[in-house]
Structure formats: structure tokens, C-alpha cells
PDB file of all heavy atoms in Angstrom:
ATOM      1  N   GLY A 210     163.064 -75.392 -98.747  1.00 91.00           N
ATOM      2  CA  GLY A 210     163.155 -74.909 -97.373  1.00 91.00           C
ATOM      3  C   GLY A 210     163.577 -73.461 -97.253  1.00 91.00           C
ATOM      4  O   GLY A 210     163.768 -72.951 -96.139  1.00 91.00           O
ATOM      5  N   TYR A 211     163.707 -72.781 -98.394  1.00 91.00           N
ATOM      6  CA  TYR A 211     164.143 -71.391 -98.362  1.00 91.00           C
ATOM      7  C   TYR A 211     163.122 -70.490 -97.672  1.00 91.00           C
ATOM      8  O   TYR A 211     163.495 -69.530 -96.989  1.00 91.00           O
ATOM      9  CB  TYR A 211     164.378 -70.865 -99.787  1.00 91.00           C
ATOM     10  CG  TYR A 211     165.544 -71.471-100.524  1.00 91.00           C
ATOM     11  CD1 TYR A 211     165.674 -71.321-101.906  1.00 91.00           C
ATOM     12  CD2 TYR A 211     166.538 -72.188 -99.852  1.00 91.00           C
ATOM     13  CE1 TYR A 211     166.745 -71.863-102.594  1.00 91.00           C
ATOM     14  CE2 TYR A 211     167.609 -72.733-100.534  1.00 91.00           C
ATOM     15  CZ  TYR A 211     167.707 -72.571-101.913  1.00 91.00           C
ATOM     16  OH  TYR A 211     168.767 -73.104-102.592  1.00 91.00           O
ATOM     17  N   TYR A 212     161.849 -70.784 -97.866  1.00 91.00           N
ATOM     18  CA  TYR A 212     160.821 -69.896 -97.322  1.00 91.00           C
ATOM     19  C   TYR A 212     160.819 -69.910 -95.798  1.00 91.00           C
ATOM     20  O   TYR A 212     160.743 -68.857 -95.160  1.00 91.00           O
ATOM     21  CB  TYR A 212     159.450 -70.301 -97.860  1.00 91.00           C
ATOM     22  CG  TYR A 212     158.340 -69.355 -97.463  1.00 91.00           C
ATOM     23  CD1 TYR A 212     158.356 -68.030 -97.869  1.00 91.00           C
ATOM     24  CD2 TYR A 212     157.269 -69.792 -96.679  1.00 91.00           C
ATOM     25  CE1 TYR A 212     157.338 -67.146 -97.507  1.00 91.00           C
ATOM     26  CE2 TYR A 212     156.242 -68.921 -96.317  1.00 91.00           C
ATOM     27  CZ  TYR A 212     156.285 -67.606 -96.734  1.00 91.00           C
ATOM     28  OH  TYR A 212     155.277 -66.748 -96.372  1.00 91.00           O
ATOM     29  N   ASP A 213     160.912 -71.099 -95.216  1.00 90.00           N
ATOM     30  CA  ASP A 213     160.925 -71.178 -93.747  1.00 90.00           C
ATOM     31  C   ASP A 213     162.152 -70.476 -93.175  1.00 90.00           C
ATOM     32  O   ASP A 213     162.066 -69.804 -92.142  1.00 90.00           O
ATOM     33  CB  ASP A 213     160.888 -72.636 -93.300  1.00 90.00           C
ATOM     34  CG  ASP A 213     159.522 -73.281 -93.529  1.00 90.00           C
ATOM     35  OD1 ASP A 213     158.509 -72.607 -93.289  1.00 90.00           O
ATOM     36  OD2 ASP A 213     159.475 -74.444 -93.958  1.00 90.00           O
ATOM     37  N   ALA A 214     163.302 -70.636 -93.840  1.00 91.00           N
ATOM     38  CA  ALA A 214     164.515 -69.958 -93.377  1.00 91.00           C
ATOM     39  C   ALA A 214     164.351 -68.442 -93.492  1.00 91.00           C
ATOM     40  O   ALA A 214     164.772 -67.682 -92.607  1.00 91.00           O
ATOM     41  CB  ALA A 214     165.717 -70.424 -94.196  1.00 91.00           C
ATOM     42  N   HIS A 215     163.707 -68.015 -94.573  1.00 90.00           N
ATOM     43  CA  HIS A 215     163.476 -66.579 -94.773  1.00 90.00           C
ATOM     44  C   HIS A 215     162.539 -66.021 -93.718  1.00 90.00           C
ATOM     45  O   HIS A 215     162.781 -64.943 -93.163  1.00 90.00           O
ATOM     46  CB  HIS A 215     162.904 -66.355 -96.175  1.00 90.00           C
ATOM     47  CG  HIS A 215     162.408 -64.960 -96.408  1.00 90.00           C
ATOM     48  ND1 HIS A 215     163.222 -63.852 -96.362  1.00 90.00           N
ATOM     49  CD2 HIS A 215     161.152 -64.486 -96.663  1.00 90.00           C
ATOM     50  CE1 HIS A 215     162.508 -62.760 -96.588  1.00 90.00           C
ATOM     51  NE2 HIS A 215     161.255 -63.124 -96.768  1.00 90.00           N
ATOM     52  N   LEU A 216     161.454 -66.751 -93.436  1.00 89.00           N
ATOM     53  CA  LEU A 216     160.511 -66.284 -92.409  1.00 89.00           C
ATOM     54  C   LEU A 216     161.204 -66.117 -91.063  1.00 89.00           C
ATOM     55  O   LEU A 216     161.000 -65.126 -90.357  1.00 89.00           O
ATOM     56  CB  LEU A 216     159.343 -67.254 -92.272  1.00 89.00           C
ATOM     57  CG  LEU A 216     158.239 -67.199 -93.325  1.00 89.00           C
ATOM     58  CD1 LEU A 216     157.149 -68.209 -92.994  1.00 89.00           C
ATOM     59  CD2 LEU A 216     157.645 -65.802 -93.449  1.00 89.00           C
ATOM     60  N   LYS A 217     162.012 -67.096 -90.702  1.00 89.00           N
ATOM     61  CA  LYS A 217     162.722 -67.019 -89.416  1.00 89.00           C
ATOM     62  C   LYS A 217     163.632 -65.791 -89.382  1.00 89.00           C
ATOM     63  O   LYS A 217     163.731 -65.100 -88.358  1.00 89.00           O
ATOM     64  CB  LYS A 217     163.532 -68.292 -89.201  1.00 89.00           C
ATOM     65  CG  LYS A 217     164.211 -68.356 -87.842  1.00 89.00           C
ATOM     66  CD  LYS A 217     164.902 -69.692 -87.626  1.00 89.00           C
ATOM     67  CE  LYS A 217     165.554 -69.768 -86.251  1.00 89.00           C
ATOM     68  NZ  LYS A 217     166.237 -71.069 -86.037  1.00 89.00           N
ATOM     69  N   SER A 218     164.269 -65.517 -90.517  1.00 90.00           N
ATOM     70  CA  SER A 218     165.181 -64.376 -90.584  1.00 90.00           C
ATOM     71  C   SER A 218     164.434 -63.055 -90.450  1.00 90.00           C
ATOM     72  O   SER A 218     164.801 -62.195 -89.643  1.00 90.00           O
ATOM     73  CB  SER A 218     165.954 -64.402 -91.911  1.00 90.00           C
ATOM     74  OG  SER A 218     166.708 -63.222 -92.076  1.00 90.00           O
ATOM     75  N   ILE A 219     163.362 -62.895 -91.230  1.00 87.00           N
ATOM     76  CA  ILE A 219     162.658 -61.607 -91.196  1.00 87.00           C
ATOM     77  C   ILE A 219     161.923 -61.413 -89.875  1.00 87.00           C
ATOM     78  O   ILE A 219     161.791 -60.278 -89.404  1.00 87.00           O
ATOM     79  CB  ILE A 219     161.684 -61.448 -92.378  1.00 87.00           C
ATOM     80  CG1 ILE A 219     160.553 -62.482 -92.318  1.00 87.00           C
ATOM     81  CG2 ILE A 219     162.413 -61.482 -93.696  1.00 87.00           C
ATOM     82  CD1 ILE A 219     159.458 -62.214 -93.337  1.00 87.00           C
ATOM     83  N   GLN A 220     161.467 -62.503 -89.271  1.00 88.00           N
ATOM     84  CA  GLN A 220     160.800 -62.364 -87.979  1.00 88.00           C
ATOM     85  C   GLN A 220     161.752 -61.782 -86.944  1.00 88.00           C
ATOM     86  O   GLN A 220     161.384 -60.899 -86.163  1.00 88.00           O
ATOM     87  CB  GLN A 220     160.253 -63.713 -87.514  1.00 88.00           C
ATOM     88  CG  GLN A 220     159.020 -64.165 -88.280  1.00 88.00           C
ATOM     89  CD  GLN A 220     158.673 -65.622 -88.024  1.00 88.00           C
ATOM     90  OE1 GLN A 220     159.412 -66.339 -87.329  1.00 88.00           O
ATOM     91  NE2 GLN A 220     157.577 -66.084 -88.583  1.00 88.00           N
ATOM     92  N   GLY A 221     162.992 -62.254 -86.939  1.00 89.00           N
ATOM     93  CA  GLY A 221     163.974 -61.719 -86.002  1.00 89.00           C
ATOM     94  C   GLY A 221     164.278 -60.253 -86.262  1.00 89.00           C
ATOM     95  O   GLY A 221     164.356 -59.440 -85.328  1.00 89.00           O
ATOM     96  N   ILE A 222     164.430 -59.896 -87.553  1.00 90.00           N
ATOM     97  CA  ILE A 222     164.737 -58.508 -87.909  1.00 90.00           C
ATOM     98  C   ILE A 222     163.566 -57.590 -87.582  1.00 90.00           C
ATOM     99  O   ILE A 222     163.736 -56.514 -86.999  1.00 90.00           O
ATOM    100  CB  ILE A 222     165.097 -58.411 -89.403  1.00 90.00           C
ATOM    101  CG1 ILE A 222     166.407 -59.156 -89.671  1.00 90.00           C
ATOM    102  CG2 ILE A 222     165.213 -56.962 -89.844  1.00 90.00           C
ATOM    103  CD1 ILE A 222     166.756 -59.303 -91.144  1.00 90.00           C
ATOM    104  N   VAL A 223     162.357 -58.030 -87.951  1.00 89.00           N
ATOM    105  CA  VAL A 223     161.173 -57.207 -87.702  1.00 89.00           C
ATOM    106  C   VAL A 223     160.908 -57.079 -86.206  1.00 89.00           C
ATOM    107  O   VAL A 223     160.495 -56.017 -85.724  1.00 89.00           O
ATOM    108  CB  VAL A 223     159.946 -57.776 -88.446  1.00 89.00           C
ATOM    109  CG1 VAL A 223     158.670 -57.051 -88.033  1.00 89.00           C
ATOM    110  CG2 VAL A 223     160.143 -57.665 -89.951  1.00 89.00           C
ATOM    111  N   ASP A 224     161.148 -58.144 -85.439  1.00 90.00           N
ATOM    112  CA  ASP A 224     161.004 -58.057 -83.978  1.00 90.00           C
ATOM    113  C   ASP A 224     161.896 -56.962 -83.414  1.00 90.00           C
ATOM    114  O   ASP A 224     161.485 -56.183 -82.549  1.00 90.00           O
ATOM    115  CB  ASP A 224     161.369 -59.400 -83.325  1.00 90.00           C
ATOM    116  CG  ASP A 224     160.259 -60.428 -83.429  1.00 90.00           C
ATOM    117  OD1 ASP A 224     159.140 -60.056 -83.811  1.00 90.00           O
ATOM    118  OD2 ASP A 224     160.527 -61.608 -83.129  1.00 90.00           O
ATOM    119  N   GLU A 225     163.131 -56.912 -83.894  1.00 91.00           N
ATOM    120  CA  GLU A 225     164.072 -55.910 -83.405  1.00 91.00           C
ATOM    121  C   GLU A 225     163.621 -54.504 -83.796  1.00 91.00           C
ATOM    122  O   GLU A 225     163.689 -53.561 -82.990  1.00 91.00           O
ATOM    123  CB  GLU A 225     165.474 -56.185 -83.963  1.00 91.00           C
ATOM    124  CG  GLU A 225     166.544 -55.224 -83.475  1.00 91.00           C
ATOM    125  CD  GLU A 225     166.649 -55.182 -81.953  1.00 91.00           C
ATOM    126  OE1 GLU A 225     166.530 -56.245 -81.306  1.00 91.00           O
ATOM    127  OE2 GLU A 225     166.851 -54.064 -81.407  1.00 91.00           O
ATOM    128  N   ARG A 226     163.127 -54.350 -85.015  1.00 92.00           N
ATOM    129  CA  ARG A 226     162.646 -53.033 -85.451  1.00 92.00           C
ATOM    130  C   ARG A 226     161.375 -52.636 -84.701  1.00 92.00           C
ATOM    131  O   ARG A 226     161.135 -51.452 -84.460  1.00 92.00           O
ATOM    132  CB  ARG A 226     162.426 -53.031 -86.960  1.00 92.00           C
ATOM    133  CG  ARG A 226     163.751 -53.184 -87.708  1.00 92.00           C
ATOM    134  CD  ARG A 226     163.634 -53.022 -89.191  1.00 92.00           C
ATOM    135  NE  ARG A 226     164.933 -53.219 -89.825  1.00 92.00           N
ATOM    136  CZ  ARG A 226     165.188 -53.069 -91.120  1.00 92.00           C
ATOM    137  NH1 ARG A 226     164.204 -52.706 -91.925  1.00 92.00           N
ATOM    138  NH2 ARG A 226     166.395 -53.271 -91.610  1.00 92.00           N
ATOM    139  N   TYR A 227     160.568 -53.629 -84.354  1.00 92.00           N
ATOM    140  CA  TYR A 227     159.367 -53.373 -83.554  1.00 92.00           C
ATOM    141  C   TYR A 227     159.771 -52.829 -82.182  1.00 92.00           C
ATOM    142  O   TYR A 227     159.234 -51.809 -81.718  1.00 92.00           O
ATOM    143  CB  TYR A 227     158.577 -54.672 -83.416  1.00 92.00           C
ATOM    144  CG  TYR A 227     157.450 -54.649 -82.404  1.00 92.00           C
ATOM    145  CD1 TYR A 227     156.346 -53.835 -82.565  1.00 92.00           C
ATOM    146  CD2 TYR A 227     157.495 -55.482 -81.281  1.00 92.00           C
ATOM    147  CE1 TYR A 227     155.307 -53.825 -81.645  1.00 92.00           C
ATOM    148  CE2 TYR A 227     156.453 -55.493 -80.362  1.00 92.00           C
ATOM    149  CZ  TYR A 227     155.370 -54.664 -80.551  1.00 92.00           C
ATOM    150  OH  TYR A 227     154.350 -54.671 -79.637  1.00 92.00           O
ATOM    151  N   ARG A 228     160.728 -53.492 -81.534  1.00 92.00           N
ATOM    152  CA  ARG A 228     161.176 -53.023 -80.214  1.00 92.00           C
ATOM    153  C   ARG A 228     161.779 -51.621 -80.317  1.00 92.00           C
ATOM    154  O   ARG A 228     161.535 -50.764 -79.462  1.00 92.00           O
ATOM    155  CB  ARG A 228     162.193 -54.004 -79.636  1.00 92.00           C
ATOM    156  CG  ARG A 228     161.583 -55.309 -79.135  1.00 92.00           C
ATOM    157  CD  ARG A 228     162.592 -56.140 -78.370  1.00 92.00           C
ATOM    158  NE  ARG A 228     163.577 -56.734 -79.256  1.00 92.00           N
ATOM    159  CZ  ARG A 228     163.476 -57.959 -79.759  1.00 92.00           C
ATOM    160  NH1 ARG A 228     162.441 -58.720 -79.456  1.00 92.00           N
ATOM    161  NH2 ARG A 228     164.418 -58.433 -80.548  1.00 92.00           N
ATOM    162  N   SER A 229     162.557 -51.388 -81.370  1.00 94.00           N
ATOM    163  CA  SER A 229     163.167 -50.065 -81.551  1.00 94.00           C
ATOM    164  C   SER A 229     162.107 -49.004 -81.784  1.00 94.00           C
ATOM    165  O   SER A 229     162.203 -47.882 -81.269  1.00 94.00           O
ATOM    166  CB  SER A 229     164.144 -50.089 -82.735  1.00 94.00           C
ATOM    167  OG  SER A 229     165.218 -50.975 -82.496  1.00 94.00           O
ATOM    168  N   CYS A 230     161.083 -49.351 -82.556  1.00 94.00           N
ATOM    169  CA  CYS A 230     159.994 -48.412 -82.837  1.00 94.00           C
ATOM    170  C   CYS A 230     159.285 -48.021 -81.540  1.00 94.00           C
ATOM    171  O   CYS A 230     158.989 -46.843 -81.318  1.00 94.00           O
ATOM    172  CB  CYS A 230     159.010 -49.021 -83.830  1.00 94.00           C
ATOM    173  SG  CYS A 230     157.611 -47.943 -84.234  1.00 94.00           S
ATOM    174  N   LEU A 231     159.011 -48.999 -80.670  1.00 94.00           N
ATOM    175  CA  LEU A 231     158.340 -48.704 -79.408  1.00 94.00           C
ATOM    176  C   LEU A 231     159.190 -47.761 -78.550  1.00 94.00           C
ATOM    177  O   LEU A 231     158.669 -46.829 -77.931  1.00 94.00           O
ATOM    178  CB  LEU A 231     158.050 -49.993 -78.643  1.00 94.00           C
ATOM    179  CG  LEU A 231     157.057 -50.966 -79.283  1.00 94.00           C
ATOM    180  CD1 LEU A 231     156.833 -52.169 -78.365  1.00 94.00           C
ATOM    181  CD2 LEU A 231     155.736 -50.296 -79.593  1.00 94.00           C
ATOM    182  N   GLU A 232     160.493 -48.000 -78.520  1.00 95.00           N
ATOM    183  CA  GLU A 232     161.386 -47.129 -77.743  1.00 95.00           C
ATOM    184  C   GLU A 232     161.387 -45.711 -78.311  1.00 95.00           C
ATOM    185  O   GLU A 232     161.353 -44.719 -77.560  1.00 95.00           O
ATOM    186  CB  GLU A 232     162.802 -47.700 -77.746  1.00 95.00           C
ATOM    187  CG  GLU A 232     162.949 -48.995 -76.952  1.00 95.00           C
ATOM    188  CD  GLU A 232     164.363 -49.553 -77.030  1.00 95.00           C
ATOM    189  OE1 GLU A 232     165.226 -48.874 -77.633  1.00 95.00           O
ATOM    190  OE2 GLU A 232     164.601 -50.652 -76.504  1.00 95.00           O
ATOM    191  N   LEU A 233     161.429 -45.594 -79.643  1.00 96.00           N
ATOM    192  CA  LEU A 233     161.431 -44.278 -80.282  1.00 96.00           C
ATOM    193  C   LEU A 233     160.123 -43.538 -80.009  1.00 96.00           C
ATOM    194  O   LEU A 233     160.127 -42.330 -79.742  1.00 96.00           O
ATOM    195  CB  LEU A 233     161.649 -44.424 -81.794  1.00 96.00           C
ATOM    196  CG  LEU A 233     163.038 -44.894 -82.232  1.00 96.00           C
ATOM    197  CD1 LEU A 233     163.058 -45.175 -83.730  1.00 96.00           C
ATOM    198  CD2 LEU A 233     164.087 -43.832 -81.891  1.00 96.00           C
ATOM    199  N   LEU A 234     159.014 -44.243 -80.073  1.00 96.00           N
ATOM    200  CA  LEU A 234     157.729 -43.610 -79.798  1.00 96.00           C
ATOM    201  C   LEU A 234     157.666 -43.100 -78.362  1.00 96.00           C
ATOM    202  O   LEU A 234     157.169 -41.999 -78.101  1.00 96.00           O
ATOM    203  CB  LEU A 234     156.587 -44.596 -80.066  1.00 96.00           C
ATOM    204  CG  LEU A 234     156.333 -44.946 -81.541  1.00 96.00           C
ATOM    205  CD1 LEU A 234     155.327 -46.088 -81.656  1.00 96.00           C
ATOM    206  CD2 LEU A 234     155.834 -43.728 -82.313  1.00 96.00           C
ATOM    207  N   GLU A 235     158.154 -43.919 -77.431  1.00 94.00           N
ATOM    208  CA  GLU A 235     158.171 -43.497 -76.024  1.00 94.00           C
ATOM    209  C   GLU A 235     158.984 -42.218 -75.848  1.00 94.00           C
ATOM    210  O   GLU A 235     158.622 -41.335 -75.072  1.00 94.00           O
ATOM    211  CB  GLU A 235     158.768 -44.610 -75.144  1.00 94.00           C
ATOM    212  CG  GLU A 235     157.920 -45.863 -75.035  1.00 94.00           C
ATOM    213  CD  GLU A 235     156.772 -45.717 -74.047  1.00 94.00           C
ATOM    214  OE1 GLU A 235     156.616 -44.618 -73.478  1.00 94.00           O
ATOM    215  OE2 GLU A 235     156.034 -46.699 -73.871  1.00 94.00           O
ATOM    216  N   ASN A 236     160.070 -42.096 -76.580  1.00 95.00           N
ATOM    217  CA  ASN A 236     160.998 -40.969 -76.412  1.00 95.00           C
ATOM    218  C   ASN A 236     160.608 -39.740 -77.224  1.00 95.00           C
ATOM    219  O   ASN A 236     160.924 -38.609 -76.830  1.00 95.00           O
ATOM    220  CB  ASN A 236     162.415 -41.393 -76.792  1.00 95.00           C
ATOM    221  CG  ASN A 236     162.990 -42.438 -75.859  1.00 95.00           C
ATOM    222  OD1 ASN A 236     162.654 -42.468 -74.671  1.00 95.00           O
ATOM    223  ND2 ASN A 236     163.842 -43.305 -76.382  1.00 95.00           N
ATOM    224  N   LEU A 237     159.933 -39.937 -78.365  1.00 96.00           N
ATOM    225  CA  LEU A 237     159.753 -38.836 -79.313  1.00 96.00           C
ATOM    226  C   LEU A 237     158.324 -38.329 -79.450  1.00 96.00           C
ATOM    227  O   LEU A 237     158.119 -37.226 -79.960  1.00 96.00           O
ATOM    228  CB  LEU A 237     160.266 -39.265 -80.697  1.00 96.00           C
ATOM    229  CG  LEU A 237     161.746 -39.630 -80.787  1.00 96.00           C
ATOM    230  CD1 LEU A 237     162.083 -40.164 -82.166  1.00 96.00           C
ATOM    231  CD2 LEU A 237     162.621 -38.419 -80.457  1.00 96.00           C
ATOM    232  N   MET A 238     157.346 -39.095 -79.025  1.00 95.00           N
ATOM    233  CA  MET A 238     155.964 -38.652 -79.201  1.00 95.00           C
ATOM    234  C   MET A 238     155.510 -37.764 -78.046  1.00 95.00           C
ATOM    235  O   MET A 238     155.769 -38.073 -76.881  1.00 95.00           O
ATOM    236  CB  MET A 238     155.028 -39.855 -79.323  1.00 95.00           C
ATOM    237  CG  MET A 238     155.138 -40.613 -80.636  1.00 95.00           C
ATOM    238  SD  MET A 238     154.773 -39.599 -82.108  1.00 95.00           S
ATOM    239  CE  MET A 238     156.458 -39.243 -82.700  1.00 95.00           C
ATOM    240  N   PRO A 239     154.827 -36.678 -78.356  1.00 93.00           N
ATOM    241  CA  PRO A 239     154.339 -35.781 -77.301  1.00 93.00           C
ATOM    242  C   PRO A 239     153.167 -36.385 -76.540  1.00 93.00           C
ATOM    243  O   PRO A 239     152.597 -37.408 -76.953  1.00 93.00           O
ATOM    244  CB  PRO A 239     153.906 -34.528 -78.084  1.00 93.00           C
ATOM    245  CG  PRO A 239     153.621 -35.022 -79.463  1.00 93.00           C
ATOM    246  CD  PRO A 239     154.565 -36.150 -79.703  1.00 93.00           C
ATOM    247  N   GLU A 240     152.790 -35.748 -75.452  1.00 92.00           N
ATOM    248  CA  GLU A 240     151.699 -36.231 -74.615  1.00 92.00           C
ATOM    249  C   GLU A 240     150.404 -36.293 -75.413  1.00 92.00           C
ATOM    250  O   GLU A 240     150.123 -35.425 -76.242  1.00 92.00           O
ATOM    251  CB  GLU A 240     151.530 -35.301 -73.410  1.00 92.00           C
ATOM    252  CG  GLU A 240     150.499 -35.779 -72.399  1.00 92.00           C
ATOM    253  CD  GLU A 240     150.406 -34.850 -71.211  1.00 92.00           C
ATOM    254  OE1 GLU A 240     151.210 -33.897 -71.145  1.00 92.00           O
ATOM    255  OE2 GLU A 240     149.530 -35.081 -70.356  1.00 92.00           O
TER     256      GLU A 240
END
């Protein structure tokens, strides 16, 4: 069951980094 637990963990971390990336792009990318 390690793989399913790992997937759940990385999905949460990657989701957070995805949201952060979108915020950074909105703030830092030129027109």
C-alpha cells in the first residue's frame, strides 16, 4: 500500500506547487 499513500502525498504537494506557480505567473510574467 506504499504506492497509493505516496501518490496521495505527491498529489497534494504538486497541487500546492501548481497553485503557487499560477500565482507567480500572474504576478511575474509580462503582457
Side-chain angles (χ1 to χ4, degrees):
Y211 292 165
Y212 186 62
D213 288 320
H215 170 62
L216 282 182
K217 185 175 181 180
S218 172
I219 64 171
Q220 286 167 355
I222 294 171
V223 172
D224 281 349
E225 182 56 39
R226 294 187 182 184
Y227 169 65
R228 286 189 287 266
S229 297
C230 179
L231 295 182
E232 291 178 4
L233 291 172
L234 290 171
E235 292 281 2
N236 294 329
L237 299 174
M238 288 300 101
E240 185 178 355

